[in-house]
Amino acid sequence: MQERMGNPALVLPAAMQALNALSKVPTETGLSPKLLELVNLRASQINGCSVCIDGHWRIARKHGETDERLFAVAGWRDAPYYSDAERAALGLTEAITRLSDRADPVPDDIWDEATRHYDGKSLAALVIAIANINVWNRLNVATRQVGGQWKP
């Protein structure tokens, strides 16, 4: 496959600066980099973004993530490797990523479970992280960016 164009965030440096600045907010708020990489990987799997699927497992490994958890993230509901807080974050990730899949895109039970594990600031940071990876996925998929070329 060949890309349709360069990544729009690289074509427009101001966009890259804004997206990079936004990506720092969740860790600055105190969310675990390992959690954020699981979120990034799961959203990217759902969106079929080969660039981010390939890149985010690499970043997660640099943060000490295990192979078992990385390999099982698509089946997080049934895998024994995740904490309740991580499950809540992954459930919220799936809901926010799949907004058009149901009449109530982010049902109260999913939201309420997230609020059990994350306070106001950390929940806001988690929602921003999910939105940001979805932006990257959409930029990459729409322009057919080639997986494997970005090696973080």
Side-chain angles (χ1 to χ4, degrees):
M1 177 169 40
Q2 186 170 343
E3 64 185 37
R4 289 179 166 150
M5 65 176 288
N7 187 298
L10 295 173
V11 173
L12 301 171
M16 178 63 90
Q17 290 173 333
L19 290 169
N20 281 338
L22 188 60
S23 72
K24 293 177 184 172
V25 170
T27 52
E28 291 171 352
T29 307
L31 288 181
S32 159
K34 285 171 68 171
L35 171 69
L36 293 170
E37 292 309 322
L38 291 176
V39 163
N40 290 339
L41 183 57
R42 185 64 192 126
S44 300
Q45 289 172 336
I46 292 166
N47 288 323
C49 181
S50 64
V51 172
C52 291
I53 292 168
D54 185 61
H56 286 287
W57 73 262
R58 295 171 192 281
I59 298 169
R61 290 285 306 274
K62 289 178 183 177
H63 288 296
E65 194 53 84
T66 66
D67 287 343
E68 291 84 5
R69 286 167 46 94
L70 291 170
F71 296 156
V73 75
W76 63 268
R77 284 178 183 81
D78 299 317
Y81 309 120
Y82 308 100
S83 70
D84 289 343
E86 290 168 331
R87 290 176 192 282
L90 290 166
L92 187 61
T93 299
E94 288 187 359
I96 291 172
T97 300
R98 294 181 164 143
L99 289 176
S100 67
D101 286 358
R102 53 182 122 174
D104 184 5
V106 183
D108 288 340
D109 62 324
I110 291 174
W111 185 262
D112 293 345
E113 184 63 17
T115 64
R116 287 187 49 229
H117 300 281
Y118 302 96
D119 65 18
K121 283 188 176 183
S122 61
L123 185 56
L126 182 57
V127 170
I128 285 172
I130 296 166
N132 195 38
I133 191 60
N134 273 277
V135 168
W136 280 109
N137 291 166
R138 281 150 176 76
L139 293 173
N140 289 330
V141 171
T143 59
R144 291 187 181 157
Q145 298 303 299
V146 178
Q149 292 181 348
W150 174 54
K151 301 281 191 205

